[in-house]
Amino acid sequence: MAVVEIPKLPPLMVVGQGKYKYVTSYKIAWNKELKQPRRIAGQNKTVGKIIGGGVEGVIEWTDAFLEEHPELKSFTVKRVFKRMQGAKKVFEFIFEPADEMISLTAAFNLLRLNAGATWVLDNVIANSPLTIALERVFEKYGRHKKLLSVAYYMYLTSNSATHLYEDFARKHRLPCQKPLDAAQISRLFSRITPDEIDRFLVKLNELVTEKEKTQAGRVNTYYALDSTSISTYSDGITKAKWGHNKDGDSLKQINLLMLVNQETAMPLYYRSYTGNTPDVSTVRNLISEIIRTGINRRAILVADKGYCSIRNINELILSELGFVINCRNTYTFAKQIIAENYSALEDYCSYNSKIQCYCLTTKCEWSYPTYDKTPTGRAVKARTSLYLHLYLDKNIRAECENTLLKRTIMPVLEKLRANIPLNQEENSIRENFLKDNGNGNYSTNHIKKAEFLLTKGIRILISNEVDDAVEAWRAYYERERVEDVFKVIKQTVGGSRFRTAKNESTEGKAFVMFLSCAVGMMFRQRVNLACKKGMQLPYDSDNKLLVMLDSIEQTVFRNGAYYSEVTGVQKELLNALDIPLPTPEPYGKVGKEEEDVDEDDDIRSLDELEIVLNKIESQSK
């Protein structure tokens, strides 16, 4: 059956003059004084009339308009009643193909959309804490659907540039089917308030904490803590500052801190902050946020040495939060612990084959200041026990010793033996590591050598909760989940640049990037579960899987939608991922977006535009 596309016509309205109702085209422009859209006077042009003289009926077009739009000759166009809006009737134009062999339904509203990938994502995130929290906070005007649709776009295209979204939305099945242009998306981002983001994070963590309490698994729940930098070219963003750019870009940056559940890889919290703030300075604020937003306080925070300081350890103890932190070996107490335990640490009996290195645990008494004060105003000290887990990798230590010999000491020795003058750095090496025995003979300063190699190849993990060295080791290395999240943000979501110019839109875009990243990690978790069950997935990346599935089409017509056949590899993939086969969907869930009264959205029909302008005119009078 042949299908004809609906013609694209200029804005039209119906006016009454005597016996007939005439169809006229018009132009509108923004009135700066009234701050309203207004019709341009004198620009109305009669293009047809309603046969019979009523407000409803078949349109008879003028010859001149038919010459401009010859495609209208293939249709019979009618103006019909649509609905009541208050006391006012709303009409719409119906295009009926003049050729009886053309499907009327298909000609009016037929769409073929790529749907397999978004069908999978819909099922992966269905009834999850993420979608529940998103709907409860952003339900008004259907914003939760718009935000999720943009998040899908970022994840599936690996692109955070919003100017390409409109074309993507026209071709893909999405929670919100309306194609938003870049300006509309910018407004959508700008209207996301800090309070809404806060309420979303509170609700998300409330639901996640409730779920974690009921799930069986390991005794301890671990949250990985880390941050990354996102570069920007904009000079108008307050948080954009010069700092230690983790991508090596010579640009200003905004830092993004995240908490990620290490078992599920689900991002649970994020916060953007100025690009010149070091990681170690963010912990006090994070503790306040954990308490305020209801993040699971029984979870153990796992962090790298960038977050380690005596003050931060004290703050975490005072807040009664569990932690595993990579301790800096440069601290005096750390060097002392290593010196006291090195002989036992390098003993063959300390080697653990599970983690393939030497390890031991020692317990220490830790003194920290409380909030109470003495009569003289000094903080009252308290004491607690901390576990110090020491790990030795002799390969790393041997490599450091080899580098010290061949690249540091030997070049200096060769110059000394050849009576070649030393520069300042080489003189420092000679004074530290060599002894002059006279007559041109030198020997190694073993004390200085031992001091230099003392901390090499050794890691110290400090914890107030985890007393087992192997569990602490695994918890620390599983913190790489947060690095996986950052890879999704920067590579899969295309978020290595913000590409925004204002503070408001930047914060909103960061929120949608967080959503997109969460969706991606939930899909990655579904793939991992399938692999653990022994399923053989034929592709080596999440994107390739989704591209393969995206060729499943959805055909949308006026009364509903159905999917193309799912066979072969696609069917095997859906079964492996535990995703049901697509089923027909009723009208209202697909194709057209639900009614949206957002004042900045485009009017979706010609008569709706007429209603808005008439309303503006009546209000101005």
Side-chain angles (χ1 to χ4, degrees):
M1 208 181 295
V3 177
V4 178
E5 293 185 2
I6 302 299
K8 294 182 179 180
L9 304 178
L12 302 174
M13 66 179 184
V14 175
V15 297
Q17 292 183 6
K19 182 178 177 181
Y20 291 103
K21 299 292 183 182
Y22 289 91
V23 181
T24 66
S25 63
Y26 59 92
K27 295 181 180 179
I28 60 173
W30 184 258
N31 189 305
K32 294 182 179 179
E33 295 179 359
L34 298 176
K35 296 183 178 181
Q36 295 175 341
R38 305 288 291 184
R39 280 199 293 263
I40 303 175
Q43 295 293 320
N44 289 19
K45 180 181 177 181
T46 300
V47 298
K49 66 181 180 180
I50 299 177
I51 298 175
V55 294
E56 295 184 89
V58 176
I59 308 298
E60 180 183 334
W61 304 106
T62 64
D63 292 340
F65 195 66
L66 285 174
E67 287 182 9
E68 293 178 16
H69 302 278
E71 64 272 21
L72 283 174
K73 297 177 182 179
S74 302
F75 294 92
T76 299
V77 184
K78 297 179 181 179
R79 188 184 193 237
V80 299
F81 172 76
K82 184 178 181 181
R83 67 173 187 273
M84 292 297 297
Q85 183 166 310
K88 187 174 180 64
K89 291 183 178 180
V90 179
F91 297 86
E92 66 178 341
F93 291 101
I94 298 295
F95 293 75
E96 295 182 349
D99 186 347
E100 293 182 358
M101 293 302 292
I102 298 176
S103 167
L104 301 184
T105 300
F108 182 81
N109 198 27
L110 182 66
L111 290 172
R112 284 196 175 90
L113 305 171
N114 295 78
T118 56
W119 169 266
V120 169
L121 295 180
D122 277 353
N123 280 273
V124 166
I125 69 174
N127 300 317
S128 66
L130 181 82
T131 52
I132 295 172
L134 187 66
E135 183 172 358
R136 290 186 184 178
V137 177
F138 295 95
E139 183 178 15
K140 191 174 182 181
Y141 305 137
R143 282 197 299 161
H144 64 294
K145 293 183 179 180
K146 295 178 183 178
L147 294 171
L148 195 56
S149 296
V150 178
Y152 279 4
Y153 157 75
M154 289 182 179
Y155 180 63
L156 293 173
T157 63
S158 299
N159 194 344
S160 63
T162 56
H163 68 280
L164 299 174
Y165 174 81
E166 189 174 9
D167 185 59
F168 175 85
R170 288 196 180 97
K171 299 175 182 177
H172 288 79
R173 169 194 177 275
L174 292 168
C176 168
Q177 201 58 62
K178 181 178 178 180
L180 304 174
D181 60 33
Q184 289 172 308
I185 294 174
S186 180
R187 290 196 297 271
L188 179 67
F189 289 166
S190 297
R191 289 174 182 164
I192 300 173
T193 66
D195 177 66
E196 287 175 324
I197 295 175
D198 190 68
R199 287 190 287 119
F200 168 81
L201 292 173
V202 169
K203 176 54 67 176
L204 173 66
N205 280 281
E206 175 189 323
L207 296 169
V208 167
T209 301
E210 191 176 311
K211 192 173 183 179
E212 287 175 349
K213 289 179 181 178
T214 60
Q215 286 180 335
R218 294 186 301 185
V219 176
N220 291 326
T221 299
Y222 294 97
Y223 287 177
L225 164 65
D226 207 349
S227 68
T228 190
S229 57
I230 298 180
S231 305
T232 178
Y233 290 100
S234 175
D235 292 326
I237 302 175
T238 306
K239 293 180 180 177
K241 302 291 182 183
W242 297 103
H244 175 63
N245 195 295
K246 298 185 179 181
D247 293 330
D249 296 331
S250 56
L251 295 170
K252 288 183 179 180
Q253 67 188 48
I254 298 171
N255 288 338
L256 192 68
L257 178 144
M258 274 192 163
L259 279 180
V260 176
N261 183 306
Q262 293 188 174
E263 188 172 0
T264 65
M266 177 67 186
L268 302 172
Y269 171 83
Y270 84 98
R271 180 172 67 89
S272 62
Y273 57 98
T274 53
N276 58 358
T277 305
D279 291 343
V280 73
S281 301
T282 63
V283 173
R284 172 173 283 188
N285 186 287
L286 174 66
I287 291 171
S288 301
E289 290 286 279
I290 288 174
I291 295 170
R292 186 182 59 77
T293 57
I295 294 172
N296 187 358
R297 296 187 64 182
R298 294 191 297 179
I300 297 173
L301 301 182
V302 184
D304 204 351
K305 63 177 65 176
Y307 296 91
C308 183
S309 73
I310 305 299
R311 175 182 170 181
N312 288 343
I313 292 172
N314 293 339
E315 291 281 354
L316 289 166
I317 294 171
L318 283 169
S319 302
E320 298 181 350
L321 293 172
F323 59 86
V324 174
I325 296 181
N326 185 6
C327 182
R328 295 180 184 274
N329 290 349
T330 53
Y331 291 146
T332 302
F333 82 89
K335 290 181 178 179
Q336 183 178 346
I337 291 292
I338 293 172
E340 291 174 355
N341 293 275
Y342 185 78
S343 296
L345 179 61
E346 70 166 353
D347 191 284
Y348 284 163
C349 296
S350 295
Y351 186 79
N352 192 302
S353 58
K354 293 180 180 179
I355 57 178
Q356 297 184 353
C357 71
Y358 297 81
C359 66
L360 66 83
T361 299
T362 182
K363 202 171 182 180
C364 75
E365 291 298 310
W366 186 272
S367 174
Y368 62 95
T370 67
Y371 297 124
D372 297 325
K373 302 291 183 181
T374 65
T376 59
R378 298 183 65 181
V380 174
K381 295 289 186 75
R383 301 183 73 84
T384 189
S385 295
L386 293 182
Y387 300 100
L388 298 176
H389 305 292
L390 282 70
Y391 308 89
L392 170 63
D393 188 325
K394 288 191 175 181
N395 292 327
I396 295 176
R397 190 179 184 85
E399 185 177 339
C400 290
E401 186 170 5
N402 190 47
T403 300
L404 175 65
L405 172 64
K406 293 184 178 181
R407 297 186 183 179
T408 305
I409 295 176
M410 286 307 299
V412 173
L413 269 175
E414 288 171 358
K415 278 192 172 186
L416 288 172
R417 289 166 180 168
N419 293 319
I420 299 174
L422 304 179
N423 59 34
Q424 185 176 354
E425 182 182 355
E426 291 167 339
N427 266 317
S428 177
I429 293 171
R430 178 183 61 79
E431 292 171 1
N432 276 306
F433 295 104
L434 297 174
K435 292 180 180 179
D436 188 348
N437 299 327
N439 301 322
N441 294 321
Y442 293 88
S443 61
T444 303
N445 186 333
H446 292 287
I447 295 176
K448 292 292 185 179
K449 174 189 171 185
E451 289 177 357
F452 175 80
L453 294 175
L454 177 64
T455 60
K456 299 299 185 286
I458 293 179
R459 168 170 285 134
I460 301 177
L461 298 180
I462 185 169
S463 177
N464 60 342
E465 293 278 350
V466 183
D467 59 359
D468 181 70
V470 174
E471 183 176 354
W473 175 272
R474 287 175 175 167
Y476 181 73
Y477 272 91
E478 285 178 6
R479 65 175 286 281
E480 290 298 322
R481 288 296 187 94
V482 74
E483 296 297 336
D484 294 338
V485 171
F486 291 146
K487 286 179 183 177
V488 170
I489 286 180
K490 294 191 174 184
Q491 299 174 17
T492 311
V493 177
S496 58
R497 300 281 188 280
F498 267 120
R499 297 184 177 89
T500 51
K502 298 179 181 178
N503 290 324
E504 296 80 4
S505 55
T506 301
E507 294 299 330
K509 189 168 189 177
F511 175 71
V512 177
M513 286 165 56
F514 174 83
L515 292 181
S516 184
C517 178
V519 169
M521 295 311 296
M522 292 169 73
F523 178 69
R524 165 56 24 200
Q525 183 71 2
R526 184 66 67 95
V527 173
N528 288 339
L529 288 174
C531 293
K532 287 180 180 178
K533 293 177 182 178
M535 304 292 182
Q536 297 296 319
L537 299 178
Y539 296 96
D540 59 358
S541 75
D542 300 347
N543 289 70
K544 287 184 179 180
L545 288 173
L546 290 168
V547 168
M548 177 64 187
L549 292 167
D550 207 32
S551 59
I552 299 172
E553 283 190 343
Q554 183 190 60
T555 301
V556 183
F557 53 97
R558 188 167 187 175
N559 299 317
Y562 61 91
Y563 289 84
S564 59
E565 296 81 1
V566 181
T567 58
V569 175
Q570 292 175 334
K571 193 171 185 178
E572 292 176 5
L573 287 175
L574 291 178
N575 289 335
L577 296 171
D578 196 24
I579 303 293
L581 296 179
T583 55
E585 296 175 327
Y587 177 73
K589 290 186 68 176
V590 295
K592 284 189 175 181
E593 183 189 358
E594 62 190 33
E595 289 300 321
D596 189 342
V597 295
D598 191 337
E599 66 273 15
D600 280 336
D601 279 348
D602 291 343
I603 304 299
R604 290 185 300 280
S605 74
L606 302 176
D607 279 83
E608 285 177 313
L609 182 57
E610 180 184 349
I611 290 169
V612 170
L613 291 172
N614 288 335
K615 184 178 180 182
I616 291 172
E617 285 183 345
S618 63
Q619 289 176 345
S620 62
K621 292 177 182 177

